[in-house]
Amino acid sequence: MQLKSSQLKLSMLALASGSLLSAVGASAAEGTDWQAEAAVLYYGELDRVTALEPVINLKRIWSPEQIASATLVLDTLGGASHNGAAVVDSPQTFAGSSGSYAASSDEGDDDDDDDDDDDDDDGGGEQTFAAGEVPLISGFEDFRMALDLAYTQPLNTPLNTISVGTALSKEEDYLSIGVNGGLAAELFSRNTKVSVSGAAAYDRIAPEDGIPQILGDSLTAASTLNSADKWVGEYTLGLTQVINKISIVQLNYNSGKSSGYHTDPYKIISRLDSAGVPVDYLNESRPEQRAKQSLYSALKVALGTHSLTASYRYYWDDWSVVAKTSDALLRFNLSERLYLEGHGRWHQQTKADFYQLWLAEAEVPDYASADHRLGDLQTQTLGLNMGYQFSDNQAVTFRTEWYHQSDPVTGNKAAQMDAVISQLGFKMVF
């Protein structure tokens, strides 16, 4: 199964683990030798997916401009996930083992496939869903291990730096290998920083039952390949500017392209007759090319001893997805060692041009997906972060957040979801 981070469900995991800890004080002073950070993230959707993610980060610091780091991430996921089948006014039954589901309606033909972001069902049996109920296939489990390595050093002068890195992510049915690098320069008495960076990755998807036939009958169409590949490349241009003594602004432009297998091998889409009864279930199909762009802006302002950080991201791609994300952090430094921080995030996106809740009985388009992560979405995140610094070398953080997702255009029940996110972290400098 592929642990995707496209909608906020798992992109929140990436955000949480990627930031590790919001340090109470400055991150690492010049002359520090080693810095270790550890965090454990819990992510739980109500009646759906749950995840537990430990993260360990180790840094070797020679100076603020010369740092080597290694980050190890472990993901364990399980629970129930929507397989893409439409919510209909008749019962539906899905049965199978090892994550390969056969599906049938009491009044229609039978077909198959399985779940949302994952798969790895160790048991068989049938799961029946009442009329109007979202088909949430339960019993999947998956484990991911990821390792990121990064190194930054001065280039001719401490005002210019070069960075390189590599990343490896492995699951039972998914492998990703990536490299990245960048250049940065500080100008005008270090009040301005410009940067350019790039990354490339190779992904291999290898489901246990092979790659399903595109838009083939999910029960009877045989797999033709054992695995499929995807290549991803992107670059980012960045500008950070000190406005005055209390404010800093950041601007980024990102552009990326991917080519290869974008389809989720565990997703199906229903074909319904004129009465709204499932006729069969087809494997979904997505284009083999995707080009995306985004603009990101952030402002950090000191409010006396406190601070406000606000950001906005505008994203668009050639699948017709347009996303707008606003984020705000209001931090209260209650003492030199203790802070509280309120967090709010608002996200809205439009659907991909091939997204459909279902297909008509005789309809067989080139591309079709009922994955709600490609649909019209609105999400809200509200949370509270807390940090306490025991000493100059030790700090602990805790955060808890509530996440809500819905489809305001179609009211798709599969997109309706709430989740709780909690994270405990510890940092030590030695």
Side-chain angles (χ1 to χ4, degrees), residues 176-332:
S176 180
I177 302 173
V179 295
N180 58 78
L183 296 170
E186 296 184 71
L187 311 170
F188 310 118
S189 301
R190 309 194 88 162
N191 287 321
T192 302
K193 183 176 182 179
V194 293
S195 63
V196 58
S197 60
Y202 165 77
D203 300 344
R204 167 157 287 194
I205 303 94
E208 180 180 349
D209 297 324
I211 299 296
Q213 182 179 318
I214 296 297
L215 290 177
D217 186 294
S218 62
L219 180 61
T220 62
S223 299
T224 57
L225 298 172
N226 294 325
S227 63
D229 303 330
K230 180 174 67 176
W231 292 89
V232 182
E234 63 179 50
Y235 69 90
T236 301
L237 304 176
L239 170 67
T240 303
Q241 178 65 49
V242 175
I243 303 301
N244 51 42
K245 292 182 178 181
I246 65 170
S247 59
I248 299 175
V249 66
Q250 180 183 3
L251 299 172
N252 284 350
Y253 168 76
N254 176 270
S255 178
K257 290 185 177 182
S258 53
S259 177
Y261 188 77
H262 291 84
T263 298
D264 190 322
Y266 303 114
K267 288 293 187 182
I268 63 176
I269 184 168
S270 304
R271 282 205 299 192
L272 309 183
D273 64 17
S274 58
V277 175
V279 174
D280 55 15
Y281 303 84
L282 305 181
N283 302 314
E284 72 155 41
S285 172
R286 304 184 191 184
E288 293 189 351
Q289 306 289 331
R290 189 176 195 180
K292 60 182 182 179
Q293 300 179 76
S294 66
L295 292 170
Y296 173 84
S297 61
L299 174 68
K300 186 163 188 175
V301 180
L303 305 173
T305 59
H306 314 300
S307 64
L308 171 67
T309 303
S311 66
Y312 179 78
R313 180 175 181 264
Y314 184 83
Y315 166 97
W316 70 101
D317 63 29
D318 58 358
W319 288 5
S320 299
V321 176
V322 176
K324 305 171 185 178
T325 306
S326 301
D327 196 288
L329 292 165
L330 182 59
R331 174 164 164 162
F332 298 93

Side-chain angles (χ1 to χ4, degrees), residues 81-252:
S81 190
H82 180 225
N83 64 354
V87 178
V88 296
D89 294 329
S90 58
Q92 298 183 89
T93 298
F94 296 81
S97 61
S98 300
S100 178
Y101 293 90
S104 65
S105 167
D106 284 5
E107 302 177 57
D109 295 339
D110 57 306
D111 277 290
D112 97 29
D113 221 282
D114 68 87
D115 62 328
D116 190 1
D117 296 301
D118 303 87
D119 158 1
D120 240 354
D121 181 36
D122 294 328
E126 293 185 344
Q127 297 182 59
T128 299
F129 302 92
E133 187 177 1
V134 178
L136 296 176
I137 305 301
S138 62
F140 78 82
E141 296 178 354
D142 206 0
F143 175 78
R144 176 179 72 112
M145 181 174 67
L147 177 64
D148 291 353
L149 303 175
Y151 177 72
T152 300
Q153 74 165 37
L155 184 64
N156 300 326
T157 167
L159 298 180
N160 303 325
T161 57
I162 182 173
S163 60
V164 293
T166 185
L168 171 68
S169 179
K170 180 69 176 72
E171 304 163 32
E172 182 177 345
D173 61 357
Y174 182 73
L175 172 68
S176 180
I177 302 173
V179 295
N180 58 78
L183 296 170
E186 296 184 71
L187 311 170
F188 310 118
S189 301
R190 309 194 88 162
N191 287 321
T192 302
K193 183 176 182 179
V194 293
S195 63
V196 58
S197 60
Y202 165 77
D203 300 344
R204 167 157 287 194
I205 303 94
E208 180 180 349
D209 297 324
I211 299 296
Q213 182 179 318
I214 296 297
L215 290 177
D217 186 294
S218 62
L219 180 61
T220 62
S223 299
T224 57
L225 298 172
N226 294 325
S227 63
D229 303 330
K230 180 174 67 176
W231 292 89
V232 182
E234 63 179 50
Y235 69 90
T236 301
L237 304 176
L239 170 67
T240 303
Q241 178 65 49
V242 175
I243 303 301
N244 51 42
K245 292 182 178 181
I246 65 170
S247 59
I248 299 175
V249 66
Q250 180 183 3
L251 299 172
N252 284 350

Side-chain angles (χ1 to χ4, degrees), residues 28 31-36 58-62 68 393 428-430:
T32 299
D33 290 330
W34 292 93
Q35 177 176 295
L58 183 64
K59 290 181 180 178
R60 175 68 167 96
I61 304 169
W62 293 271
N393 297 329
M428 179 172 63
V429 177
F430 56 95

Side-chain angles (χ1 to χ4, degrees), residues 33-52:
D33 290 330
W34 292 93
Q35 177 176 295
E37 295 177 294
V40 177
L41 171 74
Y42 169 80
Y43 172 87
E45 299 172 359
L46 303 185
D47 301 321
R48 296 196 184 186
V49 174
T50 59
L52 188 66

